[in-house]
Amino acid sequence: MKKISAFSYPIVAFLLLSGCSSDTETTTANNAITSQACIQEYFNNSVSQSLTACVSCHSEGGQAESTNFLLQSPLIDNKESNYILLKEFIASTDSLIISKGTNEISHAGGVAMDANSKSIMQTFIAYTQGNEICYDETNIGTISSDTLSLISPSSTLRSASLKLNGEIPADSTLESISSIDAIDKELDKYMESDYFYQWLALKFNDVLLTDFYAPGRNAENLLNGDDFPEKYWYEEFWTKTNDDAPNMFSNSERYRMYKNVNYAISKEPINLMVHVIKEERAFSEILTADYFLVNPYSARTYGLNIDGFSFDNADVNLSIDAIEAKYPVDSLKEVKLDGIPHAGILTSITYLNRFPSTNTNLDRHRSSKTQLFFFDTDILALANRPIDAVDVIGNSATWTNENCTVCHNILEPIASAFSNWDNRGRYRPGWRVDLAPFSQEPGISIEKKAPASATNNILQWLSKEIVKDDRFAMASVKIFYKALLSRDALKKPQKEESNYEEALEAYLYENGILEDIKDKFLASSMNAKVIIKEIIKSPLYRANSIDIDNDVLSNAIGQAHLIAPEELNSKIFTTFGYYWSRYLQPYAQKENNDSNNHRLLREDNYKTLYGGINSGSISKRVDELNGVMANIQLRMATQMACFPTTRDFYFPMNERKLFPYVTQNQEPITEGSISDIKRNIQYLHKHILGEDLAINDAEIEASYQLFYQTYLEGKERVYNSEENRALLYECRVYYNPLTFERLSDEEHPQDEIVYDDNYVIRAWSAVITYLVSDFKFLYETSGE
């Protein structure tokens, strides 16, 4: 929505020019209503700061004290009186303040107003004179969901299944969906799968970034050896340190042991979040849990010998494979440490170190992140305007100066609540009190302090206070909003933003939906799965077009975003039955399931080059395609059209993922053969892209022509010996794709797929490359 000019319409109302502070509204020339509260908020947040260059002269004792424009100083403490003064000055002099401030009319102080300050003042004058509407929640237009076009319930379910379950639903399931609420039952099934919990862990790490400690022994190294003397307990059984003992760990076995330990410690906060959802508990338990999770290996590190769970020294004689079978690395148990007041994520060693404190920072970093993640409060956005140095004066400004306390009064109480945990994340009651006095006493706010009884367990008290506040519920909704849609929820715009009106409309529309989801979440006793289902069913997820002119909203609805490398890796497997591996040779196909070989999961391959993160130096995903990423897409599409195509033809037609309607030598010669080929192309469009197209659709014909022209040209090149009749080595089938047994024995020579004399296999590879490089495969979309 554009700003509405009074001069665009016949003048039907007078302009209210009075500066009386008791006014409640201004009627503009087009009968729109501007509230005085809106104008005063704009003055407080924008105009007052722009008067900094004026106040030194235009105030009592200043060089311009004889003029009729005298501001009250300091500006920060006198916004109300200066607001009234400026309105009255504008009412009597119109835009003289701009002419003087820019020195267009001779001004003893010279130029005192830059381009930005001039623009702010022009807007304020337009507001006060009624020439423009000052919009806020009371007078902005509303957006109806009827103006949005939504994808069908069945398309919504397909998208959700790929995201939450890593699978494409059966046609019968999709056909059974008659309404959007009918997908609930299927979503409930998806949210019981192992894939779903792995997806949650991936998304939670995008927030907490604690996988930074996953490599090596990075997480275990955070623990203090005096607190946990059994740290590195497995070293006792390493041959290098104890050559005389039998059945010791080799170096590679020792590596796997400490990897199992480090896995559990590094994943403690994320495992807790997943655990709470898996056990169908209130999501608030991620902060209020008076326990933490260990696996059989990390339990020993913490000195916990739990019968039947912790690794038993008697089993050191087993092979490492047998040990991991008996003690699964993903087996988790709730435990407590004596003398430690656990408070869920907040007291996790990896959380406390990932967002560390120092002797000068004094837990402010921990406070800001805790409020950002779990309290729907972005400290850095509370005062997002530049502050002039002249306005920050006095000792301990962060405690006393209003330019600073606007943030610090919110930041400091929660920072002080971390005071029992030192810079290294160790529980040390009272340690910080000896280091520095509190700028604010521990609490959830400056008004609500922690009771004296909570002195040694302040974070336990704080966590219970946080989850009782509606801001925790909204923060929870926004965690899953970003997990599902790969974008942050809209923030309330500032009035000085150029597209403020449409941004406010968009924000209010989106926030209204999120508020409704928050209420349902609270009504469900904080079942996080309710949030996921409601977001998926909402227009925020399902919209694919908008019928009003609002660019902000059009960019903040639907699913159009680049698929993360980890999720693309899974989608490739779902589509082909194979991962994109760094080993493509026929003899190496048994290595395909090893995630260590997946190109999109390896940092030294394409994980970070394709926009992924390493939770350390790269902590924000790249969501805008660049040249490198585009070439990675092309390489993936080319290689995944190679061996999966050939191997699919190895299986009987009714067991194939890609080619259930054609044979490997079926040429487009007869009408029946052409019909089969087009039918298979139609199937591929649905299987790969989710497009349900008629057989005579132009897209089907375009794909067929690609197949046909590739077939014609390639067959001719083979016939003329311009191209080898044999497939590329990586595309051949020499081994049984299931058993990995060599096929070139006397009993099965015909089972090898080496030659492609009629160029049919390579023509199909061209079609696969074309489809897999399509936007709908590489992006999450709300298209149908």
Side-chain angles (χ1 to χ4, degrees):
M1 180 181 293
K2 307 298 183 184
K3 290 182 178 179
I4 301 174
S5 171
F7 304 108
S8 300
Y9 303 90
I11 297 178
V12 294
F14 66 92
L15 302 180
L16 186 64
L17 299 178
S18 171
C20 178
S21 62
S22 63
D23 291 344
T24 58
E25 60 185 34
T26 296
T27 304
T28 66
N30 64 341
N31 286 331
I33 301 299
T34 289
S35 71
Q36 291 300 309
C38 178
I39 300 176
Q40 185 159 1
E41 181 187 10
Y42 182 72
F43 177 88
N44 292 344
N45 292 338
S46 301
V47 180
S48 179
Q49 182 66 34
S50 72
L51 296 173
T52 299
C54 305
V55 72
S56 59
C57 295
H58 287 271
S59 60
E60 187 176 348
Q63 294 181 17
E65 67 175 342
S66 61
T67 68
N68 62 349
F69 181 60
L70 289 183
L71 297 165
Q72 298 294 310
S73 180
L75 295 174
I76 191 74
D77 295 328
N78 294 280
K79 290 180 178 179
E80 176 72 21
S81 58
N82 287 335
Y83 167 67
I84 296 171
L85 169 70
L86 183 59
K87 283 189 66 179
E88 291 175 344
F89 186 75
I90 291 170
S92 61
T93 66
D94 196 44
S95 59
L96 179 63
I97 189 170
I98 293 178
S99 299
K100 284 282 192 176
T102 58
N103 208 28
E104 293 173 4
I105 295 178
S106 181
H107 179 221
V111 176
M113 189 176 288
D114 60 19
N116 183 56
S117 296
K118 177 182 177 181
S119 175
I120 290 172
M121 190 61 68
Q122 286 173 328
T123 299
F124 181 72
I125 291 172
Y127 285 164
T128 60
Q129 294 181 341
N131 296 331
E132 288 185 9
I133 303 170
C134 183
Y135 284 106
D136 61 10
E137 291 89 336
T138 65
N139 61 0
I140 194 71
T142 57
I143 295 174
S144 169
S145 290
D146 293 339
T147 63
L148 277 66
S149 175
L150 309 180
I151 60 174
S152 67
S154 59
S155 293
T156 304
L157 182 64
R158 185 184 190 276
S159 167
S161 179
L162 280 168
K163 189 182 296 290
L164 304 181
N165 195 37
E167 294 183 1
I168 300 171
D171 287 346
S172 58
T173 300
L174 294 175
E175 291 165 1
S176 71
I177 301 301
S178 57
S179 68
I180 192 59
D181 288 330
I183 74 173
D184 278 357
K185 183 173 67 173
E186 297 302 320
L187 294 180
D188 287 335
K189 293 178 186 176
Y190 302 159
M191 290 189 289
E192 294 296 330
S193 67
D194 289 341
Y195 183 91
F196 170 68
Y197 296 118
Q198 293 167 5
W199 176 82
L200 284 178
L202 174 71
K203 295 304 179 180
F204 291 153
N205 181 68
D206 282 357
V207 177
L208 300 181
L209 302 173
T210 48
D211 277 357
F212 174 72
Y213 298 105
R217 294 197 284 194
N218 291 353
E220 189 179 15
N221 289 339
L222 297 174
L223 299 176
N224 181 268
D226 293 333
D227 294 341
F228 304 104
E230 289 196 49
K231 176 183 175 182
Y232 309 139
W233 57 270
Y234 43 84
E235 299 285 22
E236 176 186 351
F237 306 109
W238 182 25
T239 53
K240 186 174 180 179
T241 57
N242 194 342
D243 291 329
D244 296 330
N247 303 314
M248 303 296 285
F249 294 141
S250 67
N251 193 49
S252 62
E253 290 172 328
R254 165 182 168 268
Y255 166 77
R256 282 171 64 171
M257 291 298 284
Y258 76 62
K259 186 177 179 182
N260 293 341
V261 170
N262 196 77
Y263 165 82
I265 298 174
S266 68
K267 292 282 188 182
E268 281 174 10
I270 291 173
N271 281 342
L272 175 61
M273 296 178 81
V274 173
H275 176 73
V276 166
I277 295 174
K278 201 171 190 177
E279 297 298 316
E280 302 279 352
R281 298 179 186 172
F283 194 60
S284 55
E285 195 170 307
I286 66 173
L287 299 187
T288 62
D290 62 347
Y291 62 86
F292 72 114
L293 297 170
V294 295
N295 73 2
Y297 308 94
S298 67
R300 288 290 305 276
T301 300
Y302 286 110
L304 302 170
N305 293 302
I306 306 169
D307 288 344
F309 180 79
S310 304
F311 175 81
D312 190 325
N313 289 355
D315 290 325
V316 71
N317 62 321
L318 299 176
S319 69
I320 190 66
D321 290 335
I323 289 173
E324 290 179 344
K326 184 173 181 179
Y327 303 103
V329 69
D330 288 321
S331 178
L332 301 173
K333 195 172 189 66
E334 299 176 12
V335 298
K336 300 179 182 181
L337 294 176
D338 292 340
I340 302 294
H342 299 289
I345 291 171
L346 302 185
T347 53
S348 163
I349 187 70
T350 47
Y351 181 79
L352 290 168
N353 279 274
R354 192 65 189 84
F355 307 107
S357 180
T358 67
N359 289 352
T360 52
N361 175 268
L362 298 176
D363 294 301
R364 293 181 179 111
H365 189 40
R366 291 170 178 169
S367 172
S368 68
K369 291 300 183 182
T370 297
Q371 295 193 61
L372 180 65
F373 300 155
F374 308 119
F375 214 40
D376 194 29
T377 301
D378 184 355
I379 296 291
L380 298 179
L382 294 178
N384 58 355
R385 296 166 188 80
I387 298 172
D388 197 291
V390 73
D391 285 335
V392 183
I393 57 176
N395 296 325
S396 303
T398 57
W399 300 15
T400 59
N401 189 285
E402 288 193 24
N403 281 295
C404 305
T405 56
V406 64
C407 294
H408 282 271
N409 280 351
I410 296 172
L411 184 70
E412 301 292 345
I414 291 179
S416 298
F418 281 90
S419 59
N420 289 330
W421 300 82
D422 71 7
N423 296 342
R424 294 168 59 189
R426 302 174 300 177
Y427 181 59
R428 297 290 186 268
W431 86 278
R432 215 188 88 188
V433 177
D434 298 330
L435 178 70
F438 290 127
S439 58
Q440 294 287 354
E441 291 296 318
I444 194 170
S445 66
I446 59 173
E447 294 83 14
K448 189 165 188 178
K449 307 297 186 185
S453 59
T455 298
N456 291 332
N457 63 333
I458 306 173
L459 283 182
Q460 284 189 332
W461 174 87
L462 175 69
S463 64
K464 293 173 183 176
E465 293 297 318
I466 287 176
V467 302
K468 288 190 295 186
D469 194 295
D470 270 8
R471 284 173 288 181
F472 172 77
M474 181 55 81
S476 301
V477 170
K478 290 181 179 179
I479 285 174
F480 291 101
Y481 176 96
K482 185 167 186 179
L484 288 162
L485 294 169
S486 295
R487 62 176 181 264
D488 291 312
L490 295 173
K491 294 181 179 180
K492 187 176 180 179
Q494 301 295 325
K495 285 186 172 65
E496 59 268 22
E497 294 179 22
S498 60
N499 60 347
Y500 170 73
E501 290 86 1
E502 67 177 35
L504 182 59
E505 278 188 336
Y507 165 78
L508 292 174
Y509 175 76
E510 179 188 85
N511 196 62
I513 295 174
L514 297 183
E515 285 283 351
D516 182 59
I517 295 172
K518 181 199 75 176
D519 292 342
K520 292 177 180 178
F521 169 60
L522 290 171
S524 71
S525 299
M526 293 194 182
N527 185 335
K529 292 181 179 179
V530 169
I531 298 176
I532 295 173
K533 289 195 290 187
E534 292 301 322
I535 290 175
I536 288 172
K537 294 189 295 181
S538 78
L540 303 178
Y541 186 93
R542 298 177 59 210
N544 64 3
S545 67
I546 181 171
D547 294 332
I548 62 172
D549 183 17
N550 190 311
D551 292 339
V552 177
L553 185 61
S554 66
N555 290 326
I557 55 173
Q559 302 172 66
H561 64 266
L562 190 69
I563 298 177
E566 299 90 343
E567 294 174 278
L568 181 58
N569 185 64
S570 173
K571 187 173 185 178
I572 289 169
F573 179 79
T574 299
T575 303
F576 294 103
Y578 301 97
Y579 293 100
W580 186 27
S581 172
R582 56 181 179 158
Y583 298 122
L584 302 176
Q585 301 86 346
Y587 62 79
Q589 59 183 271
K590 65 180 179 180
E591 309 291 338
N592 188 268
N593 285 330
D594 186 348
S595 61
N596 290 318
N597 295 325
H598 298 170
R599 289 194 177 278
L600 290 168
L601 299 186
R602 290 183 62 93
E603 195 172 336
D604 61 355
N605 268 222
Y606 299 138
K607 179 181 176 180
T608 52
L609 286 175
Y610 197 66
I613 63 173
N614 60 14
S615 301
S617 58
I618 304 173
S619 59
K620 185 177 180 180
R621 295 185 180 275
V622 176
D623 53 12
E624 295 289 339
L625 193 70
N626 58 41
V628 172
M629 296 165 72
N631 280 297
I632 291 172
Q633 290 177 345
L634 183 58
R635 182 171 188 181
M636 179 278 297
T638 303
Q639 292 187 338
M640 292 309 298
C642 175
F643 70 93
T645 296
T646 315
R647 290 177 197 173
D648 203 57
F649 281 119
Y650 172 84
F651 295 102
M653 293 173 72
N654 63 349
E655 296 179 14
R656 295 179 189 169
K657 275 185 169 287
L658 301 175
F659 305 107
Y661 301 114
V662 293
T663 67
Q664 73 183 65
N665 296 309
Q666 190 165 346
E667 300 180 60
I669 298 174
T670 67
E671 288 187 8
S673 181
I674 293 172
S675 177
D676 289 342
I677 291 169
K678 288 188 175 182
R679 186 182 180 192
N680 205 97
I681 288 173
Q682 181 187 40
Y683 165 82
L684 288 174
H685 272 267
K686 186 170 186 179
H687 177 68
I688 296 175
L689 303 181
E691 296 178 333
D692 199 357
L693 305 176
I695 196 70
N696 60 349
D697 191 280
E699 291 294 331
I700 302 296
E701 182 61 26
S703 297
Y704 172 73
Q705 288 301 321
L706 173 63
F707 171 88
Y708 183 67
Q709 295 301 324
T710 304
Y711 155 78
L712 282 182
E713 294 175 16
K715 185 175 182 180
E716 183 178 359
R717 287 197 302 272
V718 171
Y719 179 79
N720 294 328
S721 299
E722 296 172 357
E723 187 170 342
N724 200 314
R725 60 187 284 260
L727 296 165
L728 290 173
Y729 180 68
E730 292 83 357
C731 303
R732 301 174 190 175
V733 174
Y734 286 118
Y735 297 83
N736 184 309
L738 298 178
T739 66
F740 310 118
E741 295 176 350
R742 191 74 159 87
L743 297 175
S744 59
D745 53 55
E746 294 180 358
E747 297 179 9
H748 304 94
Q750 73 281 2
D751 289 343
E752 289 186 344
I753 303 178
V754 177
Y755 300 105
D756 183 29
D757 293 288
N758 56 14
Y759 222 79
V760 167
I761 293 176
R762 282 171 280 193
W764 280 117
S765 291
V767 173
I768 296 294
T769 301
Y770 170 63
L771 295 177
V772 174
S773 58
D774 189 271
F775 176 87
K776 288 186 178 180
F777 185 80
L778 298 166
Y779 284 74
E780 296 280 4
T781 75
S782 296
E784 292 187 283

